[in-house]
Amino acid sequence: MEKGSLVVVSGFSGAGKGTLMNNLLSKYNNYALSVSATTRSPRPGEKDGVSYFFKTVEEFETMIDQDELVEYAKYVGNYYGTPKAFVEKKLQEGKDVLLEIEIQGALKIKKKFPDALLIFITPPSAEELRSRLVGRGTETLDVVNQRLTRAITESEGVEAYDYILINDDIDTCTEKLHNLIRASHDRACAHLNIIEIIRKDLRRIEYVK
Ligand code: 5GP
């Protein structure tokens, strides 16, 4: 069976990544969404083991020490990290594994897995970003402001991504994202071993006379 791809989806807080991930998962069956560990507190409605694995700082640091995370980063005062076991299992099963993570984590993934696909999602404007963050009503205004400030830093690292998608309309954006991921299966790096086999065969094949 062909191994799945690792797909990193980043974007400003409030870009609509969560909805995009849910759309992909409900419309197609080739995806698995990695559930991260975090030390931030659950928002209303968030369930442990579904939205995140909610951890204390001590628990998180133990996960770091025991090498249980593919990557981790600090974001606005909290730890966030990707548990290794799930990602490895799903890739082996041939699933495309979605990591919805911020930019520092994305860069670490690119280093460890050069074939990973990195996609950055942005709303069409700063104004729209602010109104989505405020409208969500899940964070204090102080945290909203910290996230807006953080977005400036994140905007400076986007060159590392393979694609930037503007999330103007969620359905259009979902389809674009799905098509990019499908196309990535045919990137040169995904087929190098096939070319290797063909080259070997070409060397020993009987040439036509
Ligand atoms: P939120 O608190 O809004 O759920 O997430 C804050 C930021 O942390 C988002 O940009 C989200 O993509 C990122 N994030 C979530 N899980 C992980 C993770 O496992 N690793 C890293 N590096 N970032 C994560």
Side-chain angles (χ1 to χ4, degrees), residues 9-13 17 36-37 40 43 46 52 71-73 75 80-83 100-106 136 139 147 154:
V9 180
S10 303
F12 304 129
S13 178
K17 290 163 288 170
S36 297
R40 91 150 157 72
R43 294 181 186 135
E46 282 187 337
Y52 280 105
E71 61 72 37
Y72 69 92
Y75 178 91
Y80 293 81
T82 306
E100 195 220 301
I101 65 178
E102 52 66 71
I103 199 156
Q104 301 168 72
R136 191 155 85 175
E139 263 87 20
R147 286 178 175 230
E154 298 215 319

Side-chain angles (χ1 to χ4, degrees), residues 3-164:
K3 233 181 134 190
S5 305
L6 202 49
V7 183
V8 172
V9 180
S10 303
F12 304 129
S13 178
K17 290 163 288 170
T19 316
L20 274 176
M21 299 298 95
N22 289 337
N23 281 359
L24 285 184
L25 291 168
S26 62
K27 286 183 82 172
Y28 306 102
N29 59 14
N30 58 303
Y31 294 111
L33 178 65
S34 160
V35 177
S36 297
T38 184
T39 56
R40 91 150 157 72
S41 321
R43 294 181 186 135
E46 282 187 337
K47 288 203 185 89
D48 190 35
V50 180
S51 321
Y52 280 105
F53 294 104
F54 294 100
K55 303 284 178 192
T56 62
V57 172
E58 293 73 50
E59 285 169 339
F60 197 100
E61 288 177 345
T62 306
M63 292 180 84
I64 299 173
D65 292 344
Q66 297 187 344
D67 197 25
E68 290 174 22
L69 300 170
V70 186
E71 61 72 37
Y72 69 92
K74 258 201 168 163
Y75 178 91
V76 190
N78 284 300
Y79 277 126
Y80 293 81
T82 306
K84 200 185 265 180
F86 178 88
V87 171
E88 285 176 351
K89 179 168 174 277
K90 294 293 165 184
L91 287 176
Q92 286 303 339
E93 287 173 9
K95 297 281 185 191
D96 293 324
V97 179
L98 304 167
L99 306 184
E100 195 220 301
I101 65 178
E102 52 66 71
I103 199 156
Q104 301 168 72
L107 299 180
K108 288 182 201 159
I109 292 289
K110 189 76 191 171
K111 223 172 181 181
K112 269 195 183 169
F113 307 92
D115 296 356
L117 182 66
L118 267 60
I119 299 177
F120 194 88
I121 314 287
T122 180
S125 68
E127 202 48 57
E128 175 71 20
L129 184 63
R130 184 179 57 185
S131 71
R132 285 189 200 173
L133 273 175
V134 174
R136 191 155 85 175
T138 49
E139 263 87 20
T140 61
L141 288 184
D142 192 34
V143 171
V144 168
N145 286 330
Q146 285 180 47
R147 286 178 175 230
L148 287 172
T149 310
R150 171 69 185 231
I152 300 174
T153 323
E154 298 215 319
S155 71
E156 284 157 6
V158 292
E159 291 81 4
Y161 286 77
D162 298 303
Y163 295 97
I164 296 176

Side-chain angles (χ1 to χ4, degrees), residues 2-7 30 96 115-117 163 178-195:
E2 211 178 299
K3 233 181 134 190
S5 305
L6 202 49
V7 183
N30 58 303
D96 293 324
D115 296 356
L117 182 66
Y163 295 97
H178 177 64
N179 290 334
L180 284 178
I181 297 169
R182 278 170 44 140
S184 79
H185 288 188
D186 290 327
R187 284 194 304 187
C189 56
H191 289 316
L192 286 181
N193 48 0
I194 297 174
I195 299 297

